[in-house]
Amino acid sequence: MEQFVIQSKDSLCRKREGGAEKTLKQDIIAFYHNDYQGGGNWRVSGTIENLICTFKNDITPYTEQTLTNAAKRLALILKKDMPEVLRLSGKQSLRVCVIPRAKREDSYRKNQLYLRATIQYVTKHLAGFVDGTHDIIRHTNTSTTHLARHGNGGPGELPYVGITKDTCSISNDVIGKDILLIDDLYTKTVNIDEDCIQALLDKGARSVIFYSIGKTISRF
């Protein structure tokens, strides 16, 4: 696991009404399990790229056994990394939230929600963590960013400042809590994660720490 900082100054994103502004109002401590190389690695079993692609389950349909194996592998990763995040945070406990998928909650099959289900399972079995995996629920479609560059993003808008508040319901249970926000992949400049972090802070979360399974290698 590696640590980095999501910097407010780098969170520039378009505004829906035109122009651009910073998505984040403060720097955020963040962690990730491994580098994400991209390319054709998603086809190679055992890679972090393949693991993330398997959970998305929206390009190549995967068998139940493949999904179960991916869940087991992710559980091992989380059981190792999450306690270390808690230790480094200096917090007594963290409420675990998950970045929702791009489309409405009810548009996904159960076998496309294994990522959140695995995070929830591990959270419930680790000391010092509270299950908030359903605190953020998407009610309005957004563009699927990992498919949008090929013209397959589907209905909904690409990221803009405030898109989380506009398209998601956020539980009052986050108010006053120290949050660990988890996503499958962090890519600098996409700003989905940054926008969700700020939405949690604006909702009243006491603090937010970010963790992703993969982090796209920055080209700049």
Side-chain angles (χ1 to χ4, degrees), residues 35-57 60 62 66-67 69-70 73 213:
D35 288 328
Y36 183 93
Q37 303 280 348
N41 282 356
W42 68 271
R43 298 183 180 89
V44 182
S45 179
T47 64
I48 205 73
E49 294 85 358
N50 178 260
L51 181 66
I52 291 171
C53 182
T54 300
F55 280 114
K56 291 188 184 302
N57 201 19
T60 301
Y62 292 101
T66 298
L67 291 165
N69 290 341
R73 184 183 172 202
I213 302 162

Side-chain angles (χ1 to χ4, degrees), residues 77-96:
I77 290 171
L78 295 175
K79 287 175 181 177
K80 178 181 179 182
D81 287 356
M82 286 173 61
E84 184 67 2
V85 170
L86 181 63
R87 184 186 71 80
L88 292 171
S89 76
K91 308 291 185 183
Q92 292 297 312
S93 68
L94 292 170
R95 186 174 184 88
V96 178

